Amino acid sequence: MQRSIIEMFSSIQGEGKYVGCRQVFVRFAGCNLACRYCDTENAPAKHPVCQVETHAGSRAFREEKNPLSLAQAAEEINGLLREVPHQAVSFTGGEPLLQADFIHALRPLVAAPFFLETNGTCTQQLAAIIGDIDIISMDIKLPSALPRPVWEAHRSFLRIARAKDLYLKMVLSAETREEEFLEGVRLIREEAPDALLILQPVTPFGGCEAIAPARVLALQAAAAQQLRDVRVIPQTHRMMQQL
Ligand code: SF4
């Protein structure tokens, strides 16, 4: 698959354990899944150019032709990093592990922690670059959001990811079923019992409906019976009108 980077910019991490931290975001096109609530235009061919923020936080962008070279990508990331203190560089998508070789090659060129936002299914690619990654935000994808379940892929992924600063994220929607939720909780308890679990009420998109607030509380209570730390955090960057 041809590599396309959709955009690079400086913003506030809006989800999960590091919510509120300033990060440089590198968003790749392309994903191996097809979630019902996906809000990312993922086809690589749809992005002949990459939108690059001209100055950190300026929200002014110039276009660079895809695929960006390694040197060019490193220069753009480092330029943003130099302007404002950042906690990490976040590789997101799409599924960034489809570009594992590129992330690996960037590692010696970028002096900031590498933060991976992943759907938790590309185990071989993770194994190949686990030494390059500092923080992993892994989604637990529930079958109601997908054409088919990915439990076994999640299990093998967790066995490698748990060596790092790992937290898990489950998106909750009106379609979320209690039995699949509990299966996800059981998987986490078996493979990464100390990892933080974030429950993220879905931002309605593409026909996906919001979950009732009372159900969020009931699911959090059920998960907290089995896991050490279970928190509810929505997508806060949208509330702040950040990217
Ligand atoms: S894993 Fe993420 S990028 Fe891929 S389809 Fe699902 S929501 Fe979209």
Side-chain angles (χ1 to χ4, degrees), residues 31-35 37-40 42 93-95 119 139 141:
C31 188
N32 58 319
L33 298 184
C35 305
Y37 48 71
C38 185
D39 61 359
T40 304
N42 271 315
E95 173 48 55
N119 64 32
D139 283 2
K141 298 289 187 187

Side-chain angles (χ1 to χ4, degrees), residues 3-211:
R3 182 184 67 254
S4 296
I5 301 177
I6 299 176
E7 54 191 358
M8 289 193 265
F9 58 93
S10 165
S11 192
I12 296 166
Q13 174 57 251
E15 302 179 0
K17 179 177 176 181
Y18 291 94
V19 66
C21 292
R22 189 72 178 257
Q23 297 182 344
V24 170
F25 290 82
V26 178
R27 185 184 309 285
F28 292 105
C31 188
N32 58 319
L33 298 184
C35 305
R36 294 183 61 230
Y37 48 71
C38 185
D39 61 359
T40 304
E41 173 47 73
N42 271 315
K46 289 267 173 69
H47 300 280
V49 294
C50 172
Q51 304 289 332
V52 181
E53 195 173 34
T54 54
H55 296 288
S58 68
R59 300 301 180 254
F61 291 82
R62 62 186 151 74
E63 295 185 343
E64 296 290 339
K65 198 164 176 293
N66 268 318
L68 271 70
S69 71
L70 182 66
Q72 196 181 4
E75 191 180 320
E76 301 293 358
I77 293 167
N78 287 328
L80 294 169
L81 285 173
R82 270 194 297 271
E83 290 186 60
V84 180
H86 289 83
Q87 177 255 345
V89 177
S90 174
F91 295 97
T92 187
E95 173 48 55
L97 282 173
L98 299 182
Q99 314 297 337
D101 290 352
F102 193 73
I103 294 171
H104 176 67
L106 275 173
R107 180 69 273 190
L109 306 178
V110 175
F114 275 19
F115 182 109
L116 183 68
E117 298 195 61
T118 174
N119 64 32
T121 58
C122 297
T123 304
Q124 282 184 341
Q125 292 93 327
L126 178 69
I129 66 162
I130 188 71
D132 301 318
I133 304 299
D134 299 285
I135 304 164
I136 301 175
S137 169
M138 172 185 166
D139 283 2
I140 298 290
K141 298 289 187 187
L142 300 180
S144 59
L146 291 171
R148 68 189 72 84
V150 291
W151 294 128
E152 285 316 305
H154 277 344
R155 186 178 296 281
S156 58
F157 194 97
L158 278 169
R159 288 177 179 170
I160 296 170
R162 65 193 178 194
K164 295 291 174 169
D165 179 357
L166 166 73
Y167 69 90
L168 293 321
K169 199 177 75 189
M170 270 197 223
V171 175
L172 305 179
S173 71
E175 292 79 17
T176 300
R177 298 187 298 267
E178 187 177 357
E179 62 273 19
E180 62 178 1
F181 175 82
L182 292 175
E183 188 163 354
V185 169
R186 194 159 45 244
L187 177 68
I188 297 167
R189 194 188 61 202
E190 289 169 3
E191 301 297 344
D194 292 330
L196 165 67
L197 172 62
I198 305 285
L199 305 181
Q200 183 174 293
V202 75
T203 305
F205 187 86
C208 203
E209 290 181 27
I211 186 169

